Amino acid sequence: MNRREALKNIGLSAGYIAATPGILSILQSCTSDIKLTWIPELLSEDEAKVLVQIVDLIIPETDTPGAKALNVPMFIDKYISNVAKEEEAKIFKEAAGYVTKALGINDEKPVRKIKTETYDAFLTKYLRSSKEQQEAYEKEMQQIQAPKDLENVSNEAVIFNYLAVVRSLSIWGFKTSEHIGENVLAYLPVPGEQIGCDSVENLTQGKAWSL
C-alpha cells in the first residue's frame, strides 16, 4: 500500500509515513528555489517555504495532486491566522521559527539549499519517534499558555508540537479539498439508504467517506 492509499483510510491522528527513495525522486522542486504563489498572512516567507516542503513530504503528488498542489500550505497559514485563538497563532508562529533555525536556515544557507532528504530525516526524527517520547513532548507542551512560556520547554517539544499540528491540518485540508473529496474518497453528496451491516470494502471499496 502506498502513502496515497494509506491516506484514504486515516484520520487526523495519523502518523508520519517516511518517504521512500521512490517517493523522494518524484517530488517537485526538491532542491530548487520555492516560488510561493500566495502571500502568507501569519508566517514569514522563509517559514512559509519550509511549510510547503514539509506538507509536500507528508502528502506528495503521485497519481493524484498532492497537498501542495491543492494549496494546503496556504490553507494552514490562513486557518491558524484567522481561526485559531490569538495566543495559539502566536505560539504557532514562534514554533515555525524554531523549525527554520533547527534546519540551519540563515542568510548564508537559504531555504533553497535545504535538501529534501534533510526535511525527510527531520520529520522522521520527530513524527516517528517512540510513543513514550511523543507523550513526553506533549506533557511538556501542556504548560504552554502564551509564547513566552516556550522558554520553559525544550526546543524538541516545541518542534514536535509544530510538526504534529502541521501533519493534522495537512491531512484535514487534503481530505476536505474539493478534488480529493469528490475524486479520491468515497463521495455521496445526497445520502441514500442507510446500510448498517456491511463491510467498507463492499460499500466504498475500502475508501473513507469525504463527508
Side-chain angles (χ1 to χ4, degrees):
M1 177 182 290
N2 62 28
R3 184 188 311 222
R4 180 55 46 75
E5 289 300 316
L7 283 169
K8 292 178 182 179
N9 303 294
I10 59 181
L12 297 183
S13 61
Y16 171 63
I17 307 171
T20 63
I23 291 292
L24 291 175
S25 69
I26 63 175
L27 291 175
Q28 298 291 328
S29 57
C30 293
T31 57
S32 61
D33 195 13
I34 304 168
K35 303 295 184 182
L36 293 179
T37 58
W38 48 284
I39 300 175
E41 294 185 7
L42 177 68
L43 301 176
S44 69
E45 184 173 338
D46 277 354
E47 290 164 353
K49 288 180 177 180
V50 169
L51 177 64
V52 169
Q53 292 291 68
I54 290 173
V55 168
D56 197 31
L57 265 174
I58 292 174
I59 311 179
E61 181 173 352
T62 54
D63 56 323
T64 56
K68 182 174 72 173
L70 296 173
N71 296 317
V72 170
M74 179 175 65
F75 160 75
I76 293 174
D77 177 76
K78 289 182 177 293
Y79 179 85
I80 296 294
S81 180
N82 295 284
V83 179
K85 296 179 181 178
E86 182 178 356
E87 290 301 302
E88 292 174 343
K90 289 180 179 179
I91 292 170
F92 184 85
K93 164 66 176 173
E94 288 286 331
Y98 280 63
V99 171
T100 57
K101 184 177 180 179
L103 288 168
I105 296 170
N106 51 45
D107 292 339
E108 289 72 35
K109 188 178 182 181
V111 175
R112 62 183 174 81
K113 290 190 176 182
I114 306 300
K115 296 182 179 180
T116 302
E117 291 82 357
T118 300
Y119 284 102
D120 190 57
F122 189 72
L123 293 180
T124 299
K125 174 183 177 181
Y126 289 98
L127 298 184
R128 289 182 67 87
S129 57
S130 68
K131 180 180 178 181
E132 292 75 19
Q133 182 62 76
Q134 293 189 27
E135 289 176 347
Y137 289 148
E138 291 169 353
K139 185 176 181 179
E140 279 193 74
M141 292 301 294
Q142 288 175 2
Q143 61 184 297
I144 303 299
Q145 300 297 324
K148 63 181 179 63
D149 297 330
L150 294 174
E151 300 175 357
N152 302 323
V153 301
S154 66
N155 291 358
E156 288 76 14
V158 176
I159 292 170
F160 169 77
N161 184 72
Y162 176 87
L163 294 177
V165 170
V166 168
R167 173 187 58 191
S168 293
L169 289 177
S170 294
I171 296 172
W172 181 34
F174 174 82
K175 292 184 70 174
T176 56
S177 67
E178 180 178 0
H179 177 85
I180 298 302
E182 294 186 7
N183 300 306
V184 177
L185 300 177
Y187 178 66
L188 186 62
V190 181
E193 63 179 321
Q194 178 180 356
I195 303 176
C197 298
D198 205 344
S199 69
V200 176
E201 289 297 328
N202 288 335
L203 296 174
T204 65
Q205 291 73 57
K207 299 178 182 179
W209 286 102
S210 65
L211 298 173

